[in-house]
Amino acid sequence: MRVALDATYSLGPALSGVGVYSRRLIEELVREAPDWKFLLCYRTNRFLLALAQRRPGPNARRCWMEEPWWAPPRGDLFHGLNQRLPARLYPRTVATFHDLFVMSGQYSTPEFRQRFTPLARQTASRADLIVAVSRYTAQQVEQLLGVEPSRLRVVHHGVDASSQHPTPNTQHPLLLHVGAIQTRKNIARLVEAVEMLEVDLVLAGSDGYGAAEIHARIEASPARERIRCLGYVDRATLDGLYRTATALVFPSLEEGFGIPVLEAMAAGLPVVTSNRSGTAEAAGDAAVLVDPTDVESIRAGIERVLGDTTDLVRKGRERAAQFTWARAARETLAVYRELR
């Protein structure tokens, strides 16, 4: 079988969550199905960068996304890895939906929402099958885009296993948040909770929608000297933060899944996260779940993970071990086989 994939998001050193998903899924698909052919499609403005990146295997080759409409499709199936499908028609199509927070809340500009919504509806209507990264996202696709459940398949993200052994400073707790500085991540309430406690907070992530207001809130905070904003950090730096932090605190208002939750668990960190959307689904019973709209709930959750977390860390490692990219690839291949 010949499968074409939109590999554009897998390029570059500073990968977003979608980028990590695209790169790791492609690597494992190629490994899990050595007899299949995989066409890694890139938009023209990214093709030179693609040539500089190592191919994931001998059964994968690169091609342009924007080919003439009259040219026959190179693949039997096309998989859009980020809620988009190309204009040209393929015999069969699959689209991955990560989240629909642009439609469900005030987490982006009106202009972006106006561009995003018709594109999401078009992709949902054209795809033969839709992969949702969580049951929560599948419910959103059904409710907001009118997709019938028979076309929905849930395939969770994976997380890479960690051999790290955290060495946190228990004398002065360090809380870690991994993710963009944006309204949806609920950082203003996290800062308010930190003000009630004797802890430090490190925010690792680039600026997003609403970042100016969040930075202003941090600057005005009485805990300002205990809060560090690092911006985007590379993988090595992030791994170092996971080793030295006391806990991950991730009280997001809405997530399609929540890779940082499982990354922290894999690294042996106790986790505080939201009791809703995709984070609760990712965490299961291996994290302290809090109401993200209630500062007191966030504060109490932090206090809990500052105590004896031996059982929480054990549960977290066991939980993270259930989510592998190899498993995600096998389940994705099963989706493809449905359309053969």
Side-chain angles (χ1 to χ4, degrees):
M1 189 170 184
R2 296 172 302 160
V3 178
L5 304 107
D6 182 354
T8 303
Y9 305 94
S10 68
L11 297 173
L15 294 179
S16 63
V18 172
V20 172
Y21 166 80
S22 299
R23 180 179 294 179
R24 293 294 290 115
L25 183 66
I26 289 170
E27 290 172 347
E28 294 300 330
L29 286 172
V30 169
R31 185 175 294 113
E32 290 285 334
D35 296 332
W36 292 26
K37 302 298 183 184
F38 293 92
L39 309 176
L40 310 184
C41 304
Y42 303 91
R43 294 183 179 88
T44 301
N45 63 341
R46 305 278 284 174
F47 193 74
L48 288 179
L49 182 59
L51 293 177
Q53 185 163 300
R54 178 183 58 85
R55 285 193 304 159
N59 55 333
R61 63 185 181 88
R62 309 175 187 94
C63 64
W64 278 278
M65 181 83 71
E66 298 92 351
E67 293 186 316
W69 65 267
W70 42 262
R74 297 190 183 190
D76 304 307
L77 178 150
F78 185 93
H79 186 176
L81 298 179
N82 188 27
Q83 309 180 172
R84 297 177 65 177
L85 291 173
R88 65 175 307 152
L89 299 178
Y90 278 76
R92 294 287 185 268
T93 54
V94 175
T96 294
F97 275 74
H98 299 270
D99 54 62
L100 289 176
F101 66 81
V102 174
M103 296 174 63
S104 63
Q106 302 299 313
Y107 304 132
S108 63
T109 65
E111 294 77 17
F112 184 75
R113 189 177 303 114
Q114 290 170 5
R115 294 195 306 271
F116 176 91
T117 301
L119 182 61
R121 293 190 187 282
Q122 181 187 72
T123 299
S125 67
R126 289 180 54 203
D128 292 294
L129 292 176
I130 290 173
V131 170
V133 301
S134 63
R135 291 186 298 275
Y136 174 75
T137 295
Q139 291 168 0
Q140 283 198 312
V141 172
E142 181 182 354
Q143 294 167 5
L144 297 177
L145 300 178
V147 173
E148 57 274 21
S150 62
R151 286 199 292 131
L152 292 169
R153 305 290 183 271
V154 174
V155 177
H156 291 120
H157 283 166
V159 63
D160 289 310
S162 174
S163 59
Q164 300 176 43
H165 298 281
T167 55
N169 182 353
T170 56
Q171 300 301 314
H172 197 73
L174 174 65
L175 305 180
L176 174 64
H177 178 275
V178 177
I181 308 298
Q182 59 181 324
T183 303
R184 180 170 58 91
K185 301 295 185 181
N186 203 28
I187 293 170
R189 287 192 182 93
L190 173 57
V191 168
E192 190 173 346
V194 165
E195 291 170 351
M196 304 176 187
L197 301 164
E198 290 301 319
V199 296
D200 288 349
L201 173 64
V202 170
L203 303 172
S206 54
D207 287 355
Y209 178 76
E213 292 83 356
I214 295 167
H215 284 297
R217 175 67 179 83
I218 293 171
E219 287 299 323
S221 172
R224 176 67 189 91
E225 296 305 312
R226 294 189 278 116
I227 301 173
R228 285 186 291 154
C229 299
L230 303 183
Y232 179 85
V233 299
D234 60 24
R235 188 72 238 181
T237 302
L238 182 57
D239 288 343
L241 291 170
Y242 282 139
R243 282 195 299 272
T244 57
T246 307
L248 178 84
V249 185
F250 194 73
S252 180
L253 294 168
E254 187 166 337
E255 294 289 328
F257 188 62
I259 287 180
V261 169
L262 290 172
E263 283 188 338
M265 288 180 177
L269 283 186
V271 173
V272 178
T273 193
S274 302
N275 62 1
R276 60 188 64 181
S277 75
T279 55
E281 187 174 332
D285 66 350
V288 175
L289 301 181
V290 300
D291 179 353
T293 65
D294 183 350
V295 173
E296 175 57 27
S297 180
I298 298 172
R299 184 204 62 77
I302 294 171
E303 282 203 325
R304 181 177 166 188
V305 298
L306 296 181
D308 183 2
T309 59
T310 303
D311 191 50
L312 203 60
V313 168
R314 177 187 60 77
K315 285 185 174 180
R317 286 195 184 276
E318 292 173 354
R319 179 71 176 173
Q322 299 174 29
F323 297 86
T324 68
W325 289 112
R327 187 227 62 207
R330 289 192 294 270
E331 293 180 1
T332 302
L333 289 168
V335 175
Y336 299 164
R337 290 188 181 99
E338 290 187 60
L339 298 174
R340 293 182 78 164

